[in-house]
């Protein structure tokens, strides 16, 4: 019962489902149009690149992702909508990028992709794209609860020289203008995104690190437990919103 | 990554005389040559400087590109569907690297 | 002689990074004494605010500065927030607004303790130095005169 209360508290602390608005609603009409047109959305270049990698036989096993998972359009549908999940091997949560690298190392016997490498972003984009339009549905797995709770603590922890937490901007001031930028609600539904400022695709972790550096804090390392827990909390907070990968952001 | 990442969108079919819209997207960093690297040295310019589209061998669209064009350039244009055949696309960058792709169109 | 040089370097280093802040006294909701003992220069304060990366004010506030579309609306206009606050009250709000309003998103500009995970380039330093606080304050006071 106590456990249940924790989860209920976690979920009710975010905005009510119907109130949630994706980041796409906070961007200019031009950027929205770019995201909506698959032939103009630069993020689709990564999706296309990911499809090519999916079918490439590599590593000591000379197996492609497709050798085991066949057609991603079927087998990967809905996967990104429920990640991060609890990993039986590591006995802690793993995100989609982590899972891709796990398959790379354990099943293909190839070297892990670096964070933010074109290959990892492309495969992530290709897999997440198969869930486009599907609602975020975090697994009901009690092994995840303490990690979600930690993610929430991090979200509400003041950090950096500016000494401010994520919620001060993304919960309390969404829709207001910080410098020239509209503050969105920080829903992680479009990742990897194509960000105009980066002139490239990038991961949710890169985006969060940007906010951390913005408040003059030492960002958490790529792949660190803190990052995964933040991802977990944000996905739980975004439950019900549709996946948009590849989203376009300013 | 093996193949250059390119996307083109050409309608599969069109009526003769119809104006069709063609959209192209290619992955390229479009380094302007104006930026400084971490070592304080200028990052050398590397942009796609030329794009061409031929339709059954005839040049129907071409563009010279300049350093102000953003990364991963999107180029859209229209042409008149004259006959069934092939559209060929060609991008050339500062290193002389040529990327190509093609698409078929059936004109009825 | 060998020993002397590093010592001097250390002393200069300590001075330049200004690890320790100048002490100040809070009376009611104000710091009545200048942090530097001198009056700030309004024109310099204006320049500090105009440089977003230095003053940060325009991230949240609007004001009489170029590029209004690049100014935030998280907080009211600077010309409004100065209100009828005294110089001492404004000084405390710049130094450590959280003493007055613990939930304010506005950072404490003259504080370097009790912070978490400050990035290396900013570690141990306040956002603004004591003389910069006085300069910004001098500029804010001109906004009141104009009213």
């Amino acid at each position: 019962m106590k456990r249940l209360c924790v989860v209920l508290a976690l979920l009710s602390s975010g905005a009510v489902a119907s109130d949630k608005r994706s980041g796409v609603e906070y961007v200019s009409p031009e950027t929205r149009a770019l995201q909506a047109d698959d032939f103009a959305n630069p993020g689709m270049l990564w999706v296309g690149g990911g499809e090519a990698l999916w079918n490439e036989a590599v590593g000591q096993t000379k197996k492609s992702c497709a050798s085991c998972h066949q057609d991603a359009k079927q087998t990967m549908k809905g996967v990104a909508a429920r990640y991060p999940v609890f990993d039986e091997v590591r006995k802690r949560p793993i995100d989609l990028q982590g899972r891709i690298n796990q398959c790379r190392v354990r099943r293909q016997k190839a070297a892990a992709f670096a964070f933010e490498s074109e290959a990892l972003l492309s495969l992530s984009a290709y897999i997440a794209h198969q869930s486009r339009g599907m609602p975020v549905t975090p697994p009901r797995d009690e092994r995840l609860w303490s990690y979600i709770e930690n993610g929430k603590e991090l979200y509400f922890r003041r950090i950096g020289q500016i000494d401010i937490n994520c919620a001060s901007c993304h919960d309390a001031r969404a829709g207001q203008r910080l410098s020239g930028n509209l503050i969105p609600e920080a829903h992680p539904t479009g990742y990897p995104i194509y960000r105009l400022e980066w002139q490239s695709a990038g991961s949710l972790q890169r985006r969060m690190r940007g906010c951390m550096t913005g408040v003059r804090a030492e960002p958490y390392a790529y792949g660190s437990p803190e990052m995964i827990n933040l991802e977990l909390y944000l996905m739980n907070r975004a439950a019900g919103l549709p996946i948009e990968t590849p989203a376009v952001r300013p | 990554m093996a193949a250059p990442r390119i996307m083109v969108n050409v309608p599969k079919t069109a009526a003769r005389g119809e104006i069709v819209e063609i959209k192209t997207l290619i992955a390229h960093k479009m380094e302007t040559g104006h930026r400084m690297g971490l070592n304080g040295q200028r990052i050398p310019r590397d942009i796609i400087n030329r794009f061409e589209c031929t339709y059954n061998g005839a040049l129907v669209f071409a563009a010279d590109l300049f350093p102000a064009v953003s990364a991963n350039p999107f180029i859209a244009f229209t042409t008149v569907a004259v006959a069934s055949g092939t559209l060929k696309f060609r991008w050339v960058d500062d290193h002389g690297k040529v990327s190509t792709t093609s698409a078929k169109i059936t004109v009825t | 002689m060998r020993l002397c040089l590093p010592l001097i370097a250390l002393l200069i280093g300590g001075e330049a990074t200004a690890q320790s802040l100048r002490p100040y006294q809070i009376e009611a909701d104000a710091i009545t004494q200048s942090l530097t003992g001198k009056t700030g220069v309004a024109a310099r304060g204006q320049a500090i605010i105009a440089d977003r990366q230095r003053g940060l004010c325009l991230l949240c506030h609007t004001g009489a500065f170029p590029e209004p579309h690049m100014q935030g609306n998280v907080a009211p206009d600077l010309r409004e927030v100065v209100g009828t606050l005294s110089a001492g009250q404004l000084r405390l709000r710049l130094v450590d607004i959280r003493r007055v309003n613990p939930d304010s998103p506005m950072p404490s500009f003259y504080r370097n303790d009790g912070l978490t995970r400050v990035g290396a380039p900013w570690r141990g330093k306040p956002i603004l130095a004591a003389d910069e606080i006085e300069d910004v304050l001098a500029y804010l006071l001109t906004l009141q005169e104009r009213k």
Side-chain angles (χ1 to χ4, degrees):
Chain A
M1 195 52 211
K2 190 168 159 250
R3 280 252 179 94
L4 195 84
C5 286
V6 170
V7 170
L8 281 178
L10 279 170
L11 297 181
S12 60
S13 64
V16 187
S18 58
D19 289 352
K20 288 180 210 169
R21 291 168 67 204
S22 152
V24 75
E25 297 192 38
Y26 293 92
V27 304
S28 70
E30 295 77 28
T31 307
R32 207 173 308 171
L34 202 56
Q35 174 171 327
D37 182 348
D38 280 352
F39 295 103
N41 179 343
M44 290 303 287
L45 290 167
W46 277 259
V47 171
E51 182 167 12
L53 286 174
W54 181 262
N55 294 301
E56 213 172 274
V58 293
Q60 284 172 28
T61 62
K62 295 272 184 292
K63 283 197 168 138
S64 69
C65 314
S67 315
C68 294
H69 294 291
Q70 283 84 38
D71 184 2
K73 291 188 176 65
Q74 258 118 60
T75 60
M76 292 293 134
K77 207 173 157 67
V79 170
R82 57 186 163 76
Y83 265 66
V85 300
F86 192 82
D87 178 25
E88 306 286 353
V89 180
R90 296 197 236 168
K91 301 282 178 238
R92 57 184 171 87
I94 189 168
D95 65 358
L96 187 58
Q97 299 191 77
R99 181 69 90 200
I100 293 169
N101 262 337
Q102 195 179 55
C103 271
R104 232 352 250 160
V105 173
R106 294 186 61 225
R107 319 258 186 207
Q108 290 180 309
K109 306 255 182 274
F113 295 122
F115 288 106
E116 303 308 301
S117 61
E118 185 178 310
L120 185 55
L121 289 171
S122 299
L123 273 170
S124 308
Y126 179 58
I127 292 174
H129 185 61
Q130 309 311 324
S131 299
R132 189 163 70 170
M134 297 176 72
V136 171
T137 40
R140 290 177 184 279
D141 182 345
E142 61 178 72
R143 293 171 300 179
L144 290 172
W145 291 353
S146 63
Y147 297 95
I148 300 171
E149 201 177 346
N150 175 254
K152 182 181 176 183
E153 275 164 26
L154 297 172
Y155 187 83
F156 283 91
R157 180 180 297 170
R158 288 178 174 212
I159 52 169
Q161 193 191 35
I162 310 294
D163 198 32
I164 193 170
N165 64 27
C166 318
S168 291
C169 285
H170 292 298
D171 291 2
R173 294 181 176 81
Q176 295 180 6
R177 217 172 53 235
L178 184 76
S179 197
N181 308 314
L182 273 189
I183 303 175
E185 295 169 22
H187 293 306
T189 46
Y191 287 80
I193 57 168
Y194 186 85
R195 190 157 182 229
L196 300 170
E197 189 188 305
W198 296 333
Q199 298 272 296
S200 170
S203 71
L204 175 57
Q205 295 190 19
R206 180 172 179 195
R207 176 63 264 205
M208 291 195 289
R209 283 170 60 94
C211 280
M212 293 168 194
T213 318
V215 301
R216 301 184 174 178
E218 178 70 39
Y220 300 112
Y222 281 109
S224 63
E226 287 91 349
M227 278 295 184
I228 310 287
N229 295 349
L230 272 168
E231 290 186 335
L232 257 176
Y233 173 66
L234 289 186
M235 283 298 267
N236 277 269
R237 189 170 156 273
L241 284 176
I243 296 286
E244 295 167 27
T245 311
V248 181
R249 296 287 182 268
Chain B
M1 192 158 303
R5 293 171 302 153
I6 297 175
M7 288 185 348
V8 298
N9 181 39
V10 175
K12 287 199 173 57
T13 61
R16 192 175 309 275
E18 188 182 333
I19 295 174
V20 291
E21 186 180 28
I22 292 163
K23 297 178 181 175
T24 71
L25 197 54
I26 185 167
H28 197 283
K29 61 184 173 209
M30 299 295 278
E31 189 60 59
T32 60
H34 300 313
R35 289 198 313 149
M36 291 292 183
L38 289 177
N39 54 7
Q41 301 253 303
R42 207 174 281 286
I43 304 172
R45 190 183 114 155
D46 179 14
I47 67 166
I48 287 175
N49 55 49
R50 178 78 178 167
F51 169 75
E52 289 171 359
C53 171
T54 59
Y55 184 0
N56 288 340
L59 188 69
V60 291
F61 182 84
D64 292 316
L65 280 70
F66 298 96
V69 177
S70 59
N72 311 307
F74 170 68
I75 300 172
F77 56 94
T78 56
T79 191
V80 179
V82 287
S84 295
T86 307
L87 289 123
K88 287 190 176 159
F89 304 87
R90 188 167 181 271
W91 294 258
V92 186
D93 76 9
D94 285 343
H95 294 318
K97 187 179 151 216
V98 178
S99 308
T100 58
T101 190
S102 61
K104 295 231 181 296
I105 186 167
T106 304
V107 174
T108 51
Chain C
M1 199 52 213
R2 274 255 179 94
L3 218 146
C4 269
L5 280 175
L7 260 181
I8 292 168
L10 265 178
L11 287 172
I12 295 171
E15 184 71 22
T17 50
Q19 302 297 336
S20 55
L21 303 186
R22 291 165 198 253
Y24 56 81
Q25 254 193 346
I26 302 174
E27 293 158 45
D29 71 335
I31 302 172
T32 48
Q33 300 291 314
S34 162
L35 298 177
T36 58
K38 292 182 207 138
T39 309
V41 180
R44 281 207 305 250
Q46 186 172 14
I48 290 169
I49 298 176
D51 180 347
R52 280 158 230 281
Q53 291 312 310
R54 245 174 114 201
L56 302 178
C57 319
L58 300 179
L59 290 180
C60 298
H61 295 274
T62 47
F65 289 89
E67 299 188 290
H69 67 285
M70 293 295 285
Q71 301 178 5
N73 64 4
V74 161
D77 195 281
L78 285 176
R79 287 162 287 194
E80 240 169 83
V81 289
V82 290
T84 53
L85 294 169
S86 68
Q89 286 174 315
L90 283 172
R91 188 180 288 109
L92 174 58
R93 281 150 184 78
L94 288 175
V95 165
D96 194 358
I97 195 169
R98 308 255 167 96
R99 303 258 188 165
V100 190
N101 177 1
D103 293 327
S104 181
M106 176 158 146
S108 303
F109 284 90
Y110 197 63
R111 200 180 104 197
N112 65 355
D113 61 347
L115 303 172
T116 314
R117 284 191 81 83
V118 177
W122 304 286
R123 214 164 287 158
K125 299 173 195 160
I127 300 173
L128 293 176
D131 55 334
E132 293 175 319
I133 296 276
E134 295 302 327
D135 292 340
V136 169
L137 173 62
Y139 169 74
L140 292 182
L141 290 170
T142 66
L143 299 178
Q144 287 178 332
E145 288 158 18
R146 262 174 240 171
K147 273 193 180 167

